[in-house]
Amino acid sequence: MPRKGMRSIFFKPSTSTSSLPPSPSPQRTFSDSLMDENIETAEKLITKWDDSKVPTTTALFSGTRQEAKQYLNAVKGLQSAMQYLVAQDSTSSTLVRAQLLMQLAMKTLQKEFYQILSSNREHLDPETVTTRSSVDLRSVSDYVSDYDDEISITEDEFRVSETERVSMLAMEDLKAIAESMISSGYGKECVKVYIIMRKSIVDEALYHLGVEKLSLSQVQKLDWEVLELKIKSWLQVVKVAVGTLFHGERILCDHVFASDSGKRIAESCFAEITKDGAVSLFGFPEMVAKCKKTPEKMFRILDLYEAISDYLPQIESIFSFESTSNIRSQAVTSMVKLGDAVRTMLTDLETAIQKESSKKPVPGGGVHPLTRYVMNYLTFLADYSGVLVDIIADLPQSPLPESYYRSPMREENPPASELSERIAWIILVVLCKLDGKAELYKDVAHSYLFLANNMQYVVVKVRKSNLGFLLGEEWLDKHKLKVREYASKYERVGWSAVFSALPENPAAELTAEQARACFVRFDAAFHEACRKQASWFVSDPKFRDEIKGSIASKLVQKYSEFYEKNRVGSESVRGFLPDDIGKYLSNILCNGDSGSVSSHSSSTTSSSHRSNRR
C-alpha cells in the first residue's frame, strides 16, 4: 500500500474499464481474433488487480509468482495487440479500449514497483546487494525468471541466506516490472518512483555515516582539532561509501534496468540518486586542501590523498557513466588540490629550515630542536612514500650535488629516486644549518660533540624507519663515518690536555720529582676535563657509552703504564688509581646528572677512591 503522500507519484487512467466501448465485429481475420483474445485475457487479469477491486494489503508480486508471470505476459500480449491495431486502424475503438487497459495495468505495476522498493528496504540495502554481487546475477535471473509457483533458492544451490534470497527475488521482480513498463512506454513513471525511493536510502545512509554538506568558508573557520576529527571520520566514510553504498547502488540500478531499452535509464537514475551525496563526499578533501597550510596538517592531507588515490579506480568504475563525469572530476580535482597542498608544504618546510636563525646553543651540546623536528617529520613522510612519489613529480628537482648523493633507485625506479634525493637534500639543508650552529659553542670540543650528537640522531632515525629504504645503505654508511669522525674530533680536542699531561712514552724512566709533577698535572687536567664535561650531554645512551669507552680504554692504558712505572717514590702525591678512571668518566656527558671528581686520600692504594653521584 503506498505511503501517505506518495499517491501523487502515480498516474491515473482517464476513465474506467466499465465505460470501454464495444469492439467491432465485421470481417474477422485470424489475427483479429488473436488480438481480441489477447485483449480479453489482459482485461480479466488487469481488472482483477485494479485498486478498486482488491484489498489494499494485497500485492500481485507477494502472491503466487505464477499469477505475476501471467499478468506480465498479459501486458505483453496487450502491447502486441495495440501495435497490431495501430497498424490496422489508429482510430479503432478497440485500440482506445486497449489503451485504457494499458493505463490501468501500468498504474498497478507502478504501485507494485513502489511496494517492492518500500517493503524490501532492508533486503535491498547496498551492503546486501554488494555481497550478492559475487554471485553471477545472470544465473540467478535465469533461475527465477520463470516465476514458478514455488520458487526456492536453497543454500546448497546458491549458498545464500534468507535475506539474500528475498533480496534476489525482489531484484528480479523490479527488473521484470521495469522492463514491462519501459517497453510499454511508461518508463518515466517507473523511474520517478525508483529515484524517489532509492535517493532517500542513499541520502539517509550518508547522513548516518556523517557526511555533511559544508561550504568552503565553514571548513576554513573550523579549528584544526575539529577539522582533524572530520578528516578521520571522512576516511572511514569513504571506505563504506565507495566499497558498499555507491557500489551496491550501481549494481542494483544496472540490474533493475538491464534491458537494452533500460540502459540509458539506468544511467540517468544512478546519476540522479547519487550525485548530491557523491559530490559532497568527494568535494570535502578539496576544501581541506584550500585551508591554511601548516606543518601539522601535512599528514592528514596525505591521508586524504592516499584514500582518494586508492579508491579512484573504483570511483571511476562505479561512476563510469557520462552523466556522472562530474563526480569523477570532483574526486580527481580533490586529489590534485591535495597534491598541490603537499608540494606547497614541502617547499615551505625547506624554506623554514633555511630561515631558522636561533642563536642560542643547545645546553650540553645535545640534539637541536630543528634536528628533532625535521627528522621526525621526514620519518612520518617516509611512510607515505607510495603517494609522495606521484606528488613530488611536479616539483622542481632539488639542487643536490650528484657527488654528494645519488639514489640507488635512479636506474630501476626514477620516480622513487626523485623522492630519495628530495629527502637527502632536506637532510643536507639541516646538516648545513647545524654546522653554523656548532660555531655558537666557545669550546671546540663541545661543538664537535654537538655535531656528533645531531648526526647520530639523524642516522638512527634513518636506520629505524622507511627513510633507510629510501636513502639506501651507502648513504647510511657515509653518515655513520661522519658520526665517528665528529666523535673522534671531540675526543682528541676535549681530552688532549689530559693525554699531554703524561709523558709521550709512559714507560720512560723519570726522576721522582718529574713523576710527581706528572701526577699533579694529570690530576689537574683530568679533574678539569671531568668538571667541564659533567654538564655536556650525549642523548643516545649507547652512543654515550661508546664515546666514554673509547676515552677510557686509551686513557687507562697510557695512565696504567705510567702509574706502574712511577708509583714507587711518589706515594705522597694524590694520584688516581688506573681502575678509578672509568668510574670518574661515568659522570660525564650526562647533562649534569653526575658528581664531581673527589679528592683522593694520600694513599695511592686506598680503596676509597670513588666518584660522588648526586
Side-chain angles (χ1 to χ4, degrees):
M1 184 65 186
R3 297 178 183 176
K4 184 178 180 181
M6 288 298 295
R7 180 70 67 177
S8 61
I9 70 173
F10 300 121
F11 62 88
K12 298 179 180 179
S14 59
T15 184
S16 67
T17 57
S18 61
S19 60
L20 294 176
S23 58
S25 57
Q27 301 286 323
R28 305 300 296 167
T29 65
F30 175 76
S31 295
D32 291 335
S33 299
L34 183 60
M35 293 305 106
D36 282 345
E37 184 180 339
N38 283 351
I39 293 171
E40 292 296 333
T41 301
E43 184 172 12
K44 289 179 183 179
L45 279 172
I46 292 170
T47 54
K48 175 183 176 180
W49 288 96
D50 183 13
D51 267 355
S52 62
K53 296 181 180 180
V54 296
T56 56
T57 57
T58 304
L60 173 59
F61 282 79
S62 65
T64 62
R65 310 195 73 78
Q66 184 63 34
E67 188 155 12
K69 175 188 175 182
Q70 291 172 354
Y71 192 96
L72 292 174
N73 285 337
V75 171
K76 189 175 182 180
L78 181 62
Q79 185 182 10
S80 297
M82 291 174 66
Q83 291 170 345
Y84 174 81
L85 291 170
V86 168
Q88 296 299 312
D89 181 6
S90 61
T91 63
S92 165
S93 60
T94 305
L95 178 60
V96 174
R97 178 178 173 228
Q99 288 173 332
L100 293 173
L101 280 172
M102 182 62 78
Q103 287 184 5
L104 190 60
M106 292 301 106
K107 177 185 176 184
T108 299
L109 288 180
Q110 188 181 30
K111 182 194 74 172
E112 292 287 325
F113 195 73
Y114 167 77
Q115 286 182 330
I116 293 169
L117 286 169
S118 178
S119 62
N120 288 281
R121 286 174 68 96
E122 292 184 3
H123 300 126
L124 294 174
D125 71 286
E127 184 174 1
T128 301
V129 173
T130 304
T131 301
R132 294 315 313 153
S133 67
S134 59
V135 174
D136 188 347
L137 289 175
R138 288 174 298 179
S139 64
V140 176
S141 298
D142 293 341
Y143 188 75
V144 301
S145 61
D146 288 338
Y147 289 98
D148 294 331
D149 287 338
E150 297 297 333
I151 286 183
S152 174
I153 301 178
T154 66
E155 290 192 25
D156 289 337
E157 290 170 309
F158 285 103
R159 292 189 178 90
V160 296
S161 66
E162 175 63 18
T163 297
E164 292 164 340
R165 185 189 73 84
V166 173
S167 171
M168 280 189 265
L169 293 179
M171 288 172 70
E172 290 307 311
D173 289 341
L174 292 171
K175 179 182 178 182
I177 293 172
E179 286 179 356
S180 180
M181 293 186 72
I182 292 169
S183 64
S184 300
Y186 289 82
K188 185 179 294 185
E189 289 78 9
C190 176
V191 165
K192 185 176 182 180
V193 174
Y194 188 85
I195 290 175
I196 288 174
M197 295 300 297
R198 297 308 301 178
K199 184 171 174 29
S200 68
I201 289 173
V202 170
D203 290 346
E204 182 180 334
L206 289 172
Y207 173 79
H208 286 301
L209 285 171
V211 177
E212 301 176 79
K213 292 183 178 180
L214 298 172
S215 66
L216 176 59
S217 61
Q218 287 175 313
V219 172
Q220 290 176 327
K221 289 177 182 177
L222 294 174
D223 291 336
W224 170 241
E225 291 76 12
V226 176
L227 183 56
E228 187 176 24
L229 289 175
K230 291 187 180 297
I231 292 173
K232 290 179 179 178
S233 174
W234 185 93
L235 293 169
Q236 297 300 317
V237 169
V238 74
K239 180 179 179 180
V240 177
V242 174
T244 301
L245 184 60
F246 296 139
H247 184 204
E249 202 60 42
R250 173 66 189 267
I251 292 170
L252 180 62
C253 208
D254 284 349
H255 187 75
V256 172
F257 301 103
S259 64
D260 292 338
S261 57
K263 289 180 180 178
R264 297 285 295 179
I265 293 176
E267 175 177 347
S268 62
C269 281
F270 182 71
E272 189 65 30
I273 289 166
T274 59
K275 65 180 182 180
D276 292 340
V279 168
S280 292
L281 179 67
F282 300 134
F284 174 73
E286 180 183 1
M287 291 188 284
V288 174
K290 290 180 178 179
C291 291
K292 184 179 179 182
K293 296 163 185 62
T294 54
E296 70 270 16
K297 296 178 182 177
M298 168 73 88
F299 304 106
R300 287 303 174 197
I301 288 180
L302 282 169
D303 286 336
L304 292 172
Y305 184 99
E306 189 172 47
I308 297 180
S309 177
D310 287 345
Y311 290 115
L312 191 58
Q314 285 179 268
I315 293 170
E316 291 179 335
S317 175
I318 293 169
F319 298 97
S320 59
F321 295 128
E322 181 61 31
S323 57
T324 54
S325 61
N326 63 318
I327 296 174
R328 299 195 304 272
S329 297
Q330 178 60 75
V332 172
T333 298
S334 286
M335 194 166 73
V336 169
K337 295 298 182 183
L338 291 167
D340 290 342
V342 170
R343 285 188 288 273
T344 297
M345 285 188 278
L346 279 174
T347 302
D348 290 347
L349 175 65
E350 291 184 31
T351 302
I353 295 170
Q354 291 169 339
K355 289 184 176 180
E356 204 280 338
S357 57
S358 62
K359 298 297 182 182
K360 188 176 181 181
V362 177
V367 179
H368 198 281
L370 177 66
T371 311
R372 291 186 186 277
Y373 179 83
V374 174
M375 291 310 302
N376 283 317
Y377 205 87
L378 293 180
T379 297
F380 285 121
L381 274 183
D383 292 336
Y384 295 90
S385 58
V387 292
L388 279 171
V389 166
D390 295 329
I391 292 173
I392 71 162
D394 296 330
L395 271 177
Q397 288 286 341
S398 67
L400 188 70
E402 191 167 313
S403 58
Y404 174 79
Y405 175 72
R406 179 184 173 91
S407 171
M409 297 180 283
R410 181 174 286 194
E411 301 299 331
E412 59 188 53
N413 192 346
S417 72
E418 288 185 25
L419 176 61
S420 299
E421 289 168 10
R422 174 70 56 178
I423 290 174
W425 165 250
I426 293 174
I427 294 176
L428 179 59
V429 173
V430 173
L431 295 179
C432 289
K433 294 295 291 187
L434 294 173
D435 283 342
K437 295 184 182 301
E439 297 175 1
L440 298 174
Y441 293 92
K442 297 179 180 179
D443 192 300
V444 176
H446 205 177
S447 67
Y448 282 129
L449 185 67
F450 168 78
L451 291 172
N453 263 321
N454 284 268
M455 187 66 76
Q456 172 71 3
Y457 187 86
V458 169
V459 166
V460 170
K461 281 293 181 180
V462 170
R463 188 178 68 243
K464 291 185 176 181
S465 70
N466 284 335
L467 290 171
F469 171 75
L470 289 171
L471 295 174
E473 287 299 323
E474 186 177 340
W475 185 97
L476 269 170
D477 290 342
K478 178 179 179 180
H479 288 77
K480 286 177 185 176
L481 284 174
K482 292 295 291 183
V483 173
R484 288 197 288 270
E485 179 185 330
Y486 287 139
S488 178
K489 288 181 177 179
Y490 148 76
E491 183 182 316
R492 186 175 65 251
V493 175
W495 293 89
S496 60
V498 179
F499 281 99
S500 62
L502 297 171
E504 187 171 345
N505 179 6
E509 291 286 344
L510 297 176
T511 65
E513 185 176 346
Q514 289 174 327
R516 282 195 294 271
C518 280
F519 275 117
V520 170
R521 286 197 305 271
F522 179 83
D523 184 89
F526 186 78
H527 180 92
E528 176 60 21
C530 289
R531 182 195 63 77
K532 181 192 297 183
Q533 296 184 35
S535 63
W536 295 5
F537 184 53
V538 174
S539 55
D540 186 322
K542 183 178 178 182
F543 185 43
R544 181 168 63 232
D545 290 343
E546 288 175 0
I547 290 175
K548 291 196 285 190
S550 175
I551 296 169
S553 64
K554 295 171 185 176
L555 196 57
V556 168
Q557 180 183 359
K558 190 171 184 179
Y559 182 71
S560 294
E561 289 185 48
F562 170 76
Y563 182 84
E564 292 299 325
K565 184 73 174 177
N566 296 282
R567 64 176 177 170
V568 178
S570 303
E571 294 85 351
S572 60
V573 179
R574 294 184 180 181
F576 287 97
L577 289 174
D579 291 344
D580 286 336
I581 288 179
K583 298 170 187 176
Y584 286 117
L585 289 177
S586 67
N587 295 319
I588 67 170
L589 308 182
C590 298
N591 202 21
D593 187 23
S594 59
S596 59
V597 179
S598 61
S599 57
H600 297 253
S601 68
S602 57
S603 173
T604 59
T605 59
S606 172
S607 62
S608 63
H609 296 170
R610 297 290 184 269
S611 59
N612 298 321
R613 297 182 179 274
R614 293 179 184 175

mmCIF file of all heavy atoms in Angstrom, residues 440-467:
data_model
loop_
_atom_site.group_PDB
_atom_site.id
_atom_site.type_symbol
_atom_site.label_atom_id
_atom_site.label_comp_id
_atom_site.label_asym_id
_atom_site.label_seq_id
_atom_site.Cartn_x
_atom_site.Cartn_y
_atom_site.Cartn_z
ATOM 1 N N LEU A 440 78.440 28.307 17.640
ATOM 2 C CA LEU A 440 77.956 29.059 18.797
ATOM 3 C C LEU A 440 78.620 28.599 20.099
ATOM 4 O O LEU A 440 78.566 29.309 21.106
ATOM 5 C CB LEU A 440 76.437 28.906 18.930
ATOM 6 C CG LEU A 440 75.591 29.435 17.751
ATOM 7 C CD1 LEU A 440 74.121 29.071 17.961
ATOM 8 C CD2 LEU A 440 75.749 30.953 17.625
ATOM 9 N N TYR A 441 79.271 27.423 20.081
ATOM 10 C CA TYR A 441 79.920 26.900 21.295
ATOM 11 C C TYR A 441 81.335 27.457 21.389
ATOM 12 O O TYR A 441 82.099 27.439 20.421
ATOM 13 C CB TYR A 441 79.950 25.372 21.260
ATOM 14 C CG TYR A 441 78.563 24.755 21.347
ATOM 15 C CD1 TYR A 441 77.853 24.447 20.188
ATOM 16 C CD2 TYR A 441 77.962 24.511 22.577
ATOM 17 C CE1 TYR A 441 76.587 23.899 20.255
ATOM 18 C CE2 TYR A 441 76.697 23.963 22.658
ATOM 19 C CZ TYR A 441 76.008 23.658 21.499
ATOM 20 O OH TYR A 441 74.749 23.123 21.565
ATOM 21 N N LYS A 442 81.670 27.942 22.567
ATOM 22 C CA LYS A 442 83.006 28.527 22.771
ATOM 23 C C LYS A 442 84.092 27.460 22.787
ATOM 24 O O LYS A 442 85.219 27.723 22.393
ATOM 25 C CB LYS A 442 83.024 29.322 24.083
ATOM 26 C CG LYS A 442 82.070 30.509 24.075
ATOM 27 C CD LYS A 442 82.094 31.246 25.403
ATOM 28 C CE LYS A 442 81.139 32.433 25.394
ATOM 29 N NZ LYS A 442 81.142 33.146 26.699
ATOM 30 N N ASP A 443 83.736 26.287 23.285
ATOM 31 C CA ASP A 443 84.697 25.191 23.361
ATOM 32 C C ASP A 443 84.599 24.366 22.070
ATOM 33 O O ASP A 443 83.530 23.878 21.710
ATOM 34 C CB ASP A 443 84.388 24.321 24.575
ATOM 35 C CG ASP A 443 85.515 23.343 24.885
ATOM 36 O OD1 ASP A 443 85.807 22.517 23.995
ATOM 37 O OD2 ASP A 443 86.068 23.398 25.995
ATOM 38 N N VAL A 444 85.726 24.189 21.389
ATOM 39 C CA VAL A 444 85.733 23.453 20.118
ATOM 40 C C VAL A 444 85.286 22.012 20.310
ATOM 41 O O VAL A 444 84.546 21.452 19.497
ATOM 42 C CB VAL A 444 87.138 23.502 19.471
ATOM 43 C CG1 VAL A 444 87.170 22.660 18.204
ATOM 44 C CG2 VAL A 444 87.541 24.932 19.174
ATOM 45 N N ALA A 445 85.743 21.393 21.408
ATOM 46 C CA ALA A 445 85.350 20.017 21.678
ATOM 47 C C ALA A 445 83.834 19.913 21.852
ATOM 48 O O ALA A 445 83.197 18.948 21.412
ATOM 49 C CB ALA A 445 86.056 19.499 22.930
ATOM 50 N N HIS A 446 83.275 20.938 22.485
ATOM 51 C CA HIS A 446 81.822 20.969 22.692
ATOM 52 C C HIS A 446 81.090 21.049 21.357
ATOM 53 O O HIS A 446 80.054 20.415 21.161
ATOM 54 C CB HIS A 446 81.460 22.161 23.581
ATOM 55 C CG HIS A 446 80.183 21.987 24.329
ATOM 56 N ND1 HIS A 446 79.713 22.918 25.227
ATOM 57 C CD2 HIS A 446 79.264 20.982 24.319
ATOM 58 C CE1 HIS A 446 78.569 22.501 25.732
ATOM 59 N NE2 HIS A 446 78.280 21.318 25.202
ATOM 60 N N SER A 447 81.614 21.819 20.420
ATOM 61 C CA SER A 447 80.983 21.961 19.104
ATOM 62 C C SER A 447 81.027 20.634 18.346
ATOM 63 O O SER A 447 80.063 20.265 17.671
ATOM 64 C CB SER A 447 81.664 23.072 18.303
ATOM 65 O OG SER A 447 82.990 22.723 17.968
ATOM 66 N N TYR A 448 82.164 19.901 18.477
ATOM 67 C CA TYR A 448 82.242 18.597 17.814
ATOM 68 C C TYR A 448 81.276 17.603 18.450
ATOM 69 O O TYR A 448 80.679 16.753 17.759
ATOM 70 C CB TYR A 448 83.663 18.049 17.865
ATOM 71 C CG TYR A 448 84.586 18.677 16.847
ATOM 72 C CD1 TYR A 448 85.823 19.196 17.224
ATOM 73 C CD2 TYR A 448 84.222 18.746 15.509
ATOM 74 C CE1 TYR A 448 86.685 19.775 16.292
ATOM 75 C CE2 TYR A 448 85.072 19.328 14.564
ATOM 76 C CZ TYR A 448 86.292 19.832 14.957
ATOM 77 O OH TYR A 448 87.123 20.399 14.024
ATOM 78 N N LEU A 449 81.120 17.686 19.755
ATOM 79 C CA LEU A 449 80.168 16.805 20.433
ATOM 80 C C LEU A 449 78.742 17.103 19.965
ATOM 81 O O LEU A 449 77.940 16.185 19.743
ATOM 82 C CB LEU A 449 80.276 16.983 21.948
ATOM 83 C CG LEU A 449 79.423 16.027 22.786
ATOM 84 C CD1 LEU A 449 79.922 14.593 22.639
ATOM 85 C CD2 LEU A 449 79.432 16.452 24.255
ATOM 86 N N PHE A 450 78.444 18.381 19.800
ATOM 87 C CA PHE A 450 77.137 18.805 19.295
ATOM 88 C C PHE A 450 76.882 18.200 17.899
ATOM 89 O O PHE A 450 75.808 17.642 17.634
ATOM 90 C CB PHE A 450 77.087 20.326 19.242
ATOM 91 C CG PHE A 450 75.918 20.890 18.479
ATOM 92 C CD1 PHE A 450 74.654 20.935 19.038
ATOM 93 C CD2 PHE A 450 76.093 21.381 17.191
ATOM 94 C CE1 PHE A 450 73.579 21.451 18.319
ATOM 95 C CE2 PHE A 450 75.032 21.906 16.471
ATOM 96 C CZ PHE A 450 73.774 21.936 17.036
ATOM 97 N N LEU A 451 77.870 18.290 17.034
ATOM 98 C CA LEU A 451 77.720 17.742 15.691
ATOM 99 C C LEU A 451 77.580 16.220 15.723
ATOM 100 O O LEU A 451 76.795 15.635 14.969
ATOM 101 C CB LEU A 451 78.910 18.140 14.825
ATOM 102 C CG LEU A 451 79.000 19.628 14.467
ATOM 103 C CD1 LEU A 451 80.325 19.929 13.765
ATOM 104 C CD2 LEU A 451 77.825 20.040 13.576
ATOM 105 N N ALA A 452 78.350 15.561 16.589
ATOM 106 C CA ALA A 452 78.261 14.108 16.712
ATOM 107 C C ALA A 452 76.879 13.679 17.197
ATOM 108 O O ALA A 452 76.280 12.728 16.682
ATOM 109 C CB ALA A 452 79.331 13.593 17.666
ATOM 110 N N ASN A 453 76.375 14.412 18.203
ATOM 111 C CA ASN A 453 75.046 14.127 18.736
ATOM 112 C C ASN A 453 73.975 14.207 17.656
ATOM 113 O O ASN A 453 73.129 13.314 17.508
ATOM 114 C CB ASN A 453 74.698 15.147 19.827
ATOM 115 C CG ASN A 453 74.991 14.622 21.218
ATOM 116 O OD1 ASN A 453 74.767 13.455 21.499
ATOM 117 N ND2 ASN A 453 75.509 15.478 22.078
ATOM 118 N N ASN A 454 73.996 15.284 16.898
ATOM 119 C CA ASN A 454 72.959 15.519 15.901
ATOM 120 C C ASN A 454 73.076 14.562 14.714
ATOM 121 O O ASN A 454 72.070 14.063 14.206
ATOM 122 C CB ASN A 454 72.991 16.976 15.441
ATOM 123 C CG ASN A 454 72.383 17.912 16.461
ATOM 124 O OD1 ASN A 454 71.204 18.216 16.422
ATOM 125 N ND2 ASN A 454 73.208 18.366 17.414
ATOM 126 N N MET A 455 74.317 14.288 14.300
ATOM 127 C CA MET A 455 74.496 13.352 13.199
ATOM 128 C C MET A 455 74.056 11.942 13.618
ATOM 129 O O MET A 455 73.454 11.206 12.834
ATOM 130 C CB MET A 455 75.949 13.338 12.735
ATOM 131 C CG MET A 455 76.177 12.502 11.490
ATOM 132 S SD MET A 455 75.354 13.162 10.023
ATOM 133 C CE MET A 455 76.456 14.528 9.627
ATOM 134 N N GLN A 456 74.356 11.585 14.843
ATOM 135 C CA GLN A 456 73.930 10.282 15.360
ATOM 136 C C GLN A 456 72.409 10.181 15.380
ATOM 137 O O GLN A 456 71.835 9.149 15.007
ATOM 138 C CB GLN A 456 74.492 10.068 16.771
ATOM 139 C CG GLN A 456 73.977 8.838 17.491
ATOM 140 C CD GLN A 456 74.505 7.523 16.905
ATOM 141 O OE1 GLN A 456 75.304 7.535 15.977
ATOM 142 N NE2 GLN A 456 74.050 6.413 17.448
ATOM 143 N N TYR A 457 71.761 11.253 15.787
ATOM 144 C CA TYR A 457 70.295 11.268 15.822
ATOM 145 C C TYR A 457 69.719 11.075 14.420
ATOM 146 O O TYR A 457 68.773 10.298 14.213
ATOM 147 C CB TYR A 457 69.804 12.597 16.405
ATOM 148 C CG TYR A 457 68.319 12.649 16.645
ATOM 149 C CD1 TYR A 457 67.765 12.174 17.831
ATOM 150 C CD2 TYR A 457 67.456 13.168 15.680
ATOM 151 C CE1 TYR A 457 66.396 12.221 18.053
ATOM 152 C CE2 TYR A 457 66.083 13.209 15.895
ATOM 153 C CZ TYR A 457 65.565 12.740 17.081
ATOM 154 O OH TYR A 457 64.200 12.777 17.302
ATOM 155 N N VAL A 458 70.316 11.750 13.456
ATOM 156 C CA VAL A 458 69.876 11.624 12.057
ATOM 157 C C VAL A 458 70.041 10.186 11.576
ATOM 158 O O VAL A 458 69.126 9.601 10.977
ATOM 159 C CB VAL A 458 70.660 12.592 11.150
ATOM 160 C CG1 VAL A 458 70.408 12.292 9.673
ATOM 161 C CG2 VAL A 458 70.298 14.042 11.466
ATOM 162 N N VAL A 459 71.197 9.608 11.834
ATOM 163 C CA VAL A 459 71.483 8.244 11.375
ATOM 164 C C VAL A 459 70.516 7.239 11.995
ATOM 165 O O VAL A 459 70.001 6.352 11.299
ATOM 166 C CB VAL A 459 72.946 7.873 11.700
ATOM 167 C CG1 VAL A 459 73.171 6.372 11.543
ATOM 168 C CG2 VAL A 459 73.896 8.648 10.797
ATOM 169 N N VAL A 460 70.281 7.373 13.283
ATOM 170 C CA VAL A 460 69.377 6.434 13.964
ATOM 171 C C VAL A 460 67.967 6.543 13.406
ATOM 172 O O VAL A 460 67.298 5.528 13.159
ATOM 173 C CB VAL A 460 69.377 6.690 15.485
ATOM 174 C CG1 VAL A 460 68.255 5.892 16.169
ATOM 175 C CG2 VAL A 460 70.722 6.308 16.084
ATOM 176 N N LYS A 461 67.495 7.771 13.185
ATOM 177 C CA LYS A 461 66.156 7.976 12.635
ATOM 178 C C LYS A 461 66.025 7.362 11.245
ATOM 179 O O LYS A 461 65.000 6.765 10.901
ATOM 180 C CB LYS A 461 65.815 9.472 12.595
ATOM 181 C CG LYS A 461 65.392 10.052 13.917
ATOM 182 C CD LYS A 461 64.056 9.474 14.341
ATOM 183 C CE LYS A 461 63.587 10.058 15.662
ATOM 184 N NZ LYS A 461 62.279 9.502 16.075
ATOM 185 N N VAL A 462 67.055 7.526 10.448
ATOM 186 C CA VAL A 462 67.026 6.959 9.099
ATOM 187 C C VAL A 462 67.054 5.442 9.161
ATOM 188 O O VAL A 462 66.281 4.755 8.486
ATOM 189 C CB VAL A 462 68.204 7.494 8.253
ATOM 190 C CG1 VAL A 462 68.319 6.732 6.930
ATOM 191 C CG2 VAL A 462 68.046 8.992 7.994
ATOM 192 N N ARG A 463 67.944 4.897 9.996
ATOM 193 C CA ARG A 463 68.115 3.453 10.061
ATOM 194 C C ARG A 463 66.859 2.747 10.562
ATOM 195 O O ARG A 463 66.531 1.643 10.117
ATOM 196 C CB ARG A 463 69.296 3.107 10.954
ATOM 197 C CG ARG A 463 69.668 1.626 10.913
ATOM 198 C CD ARG A 463 70.877 1.307 11.778
ATOM 199 N NE ARG A 463 70.603 1.468 13.185
ATOM 200 C CZ ARG A 463 71.202 2.352 13.980
ATOM 201 N NH1 ARG A 463 72.134 3.156 13.492
ATOM 202 N NH2 ARG A 463 70.902 2.436 15.260
ATOM 203 N N LYS A 464 66.117 3.372 11.474
ATOM 204 C CA LYS A 464 64.975 2.715 12.106
ATOM 205 C C LYS A 464 63.641 3.025 11.427
ATOM 206 O O LYS A 464 62.586 2.714 11.991
ATOM 207 C CB LYS A 464 64.904 3.115 13.582
ATOM 208 C CG LYS A 464 66.043 2.549 14.419
ATOM 209 C CD LYS A 464 65.856 2.878 15.886
ATOM 210 C CE LYS A 464 66.941 2.232 16.745
ATOM 211 N NZ LYS A 464 66.763 2.519 18.177
ATOM 212 N N SER A 465 63.655 3.631 10.266
ATOM 213 C CA SER A 465 62.415 3.987 9.581
ATOM 214 C C SER A 465 62.517 3.662 8.098
ATOM 215 O O SER A 465 63.533 3.167 7.620
ATOM 216 C CB SER A 465 62.118 5.481 9.768
ATOM 217 O OG SER A 465 63.053 6.268 9.036
ATOM 218 N N ASN A 466 61.477 3.978 7.368
ATOM 219 C CA ASN A 466 61.471 3.780 5.920
ATOM 220 C C ASN A 466 62.458 4.694 5.212
ATOM 221 O O ASN A 466 62.736 4.498 4.016
ATOM 222 C CB ASN A 466 60.065 4.012 5.356
ATOM 223 C CG ASN A 466 59.136 2.853 5.640
ATOM 224 O OD1 ASN A 466 59.584 1.727 5.834
ATOM 225 N ND2 ASN A 466 57.849 3.115 5.674
ATOM 226 N N LEU A 467 62.965 5.682 5.933
ATOM 227 C CA LEU A 467 63.992 6.546 5.338
ATOM 228 C C LEU A 467 65.214 5.728 4.930
ATOM 229 O O LEU A 467 65.864 6.025 3.926
ATOM 230 C CB LEU A 467 64.406 7.642 6.322
ATOM 231 C CG LEU A 467 63.373 8.739 6.608
ATOM 232 C CD1 LEU A 467 63.854 9.624 7.757
ATOM 233 C CD2 LEU A 467 63.113 9.575 5.371
#
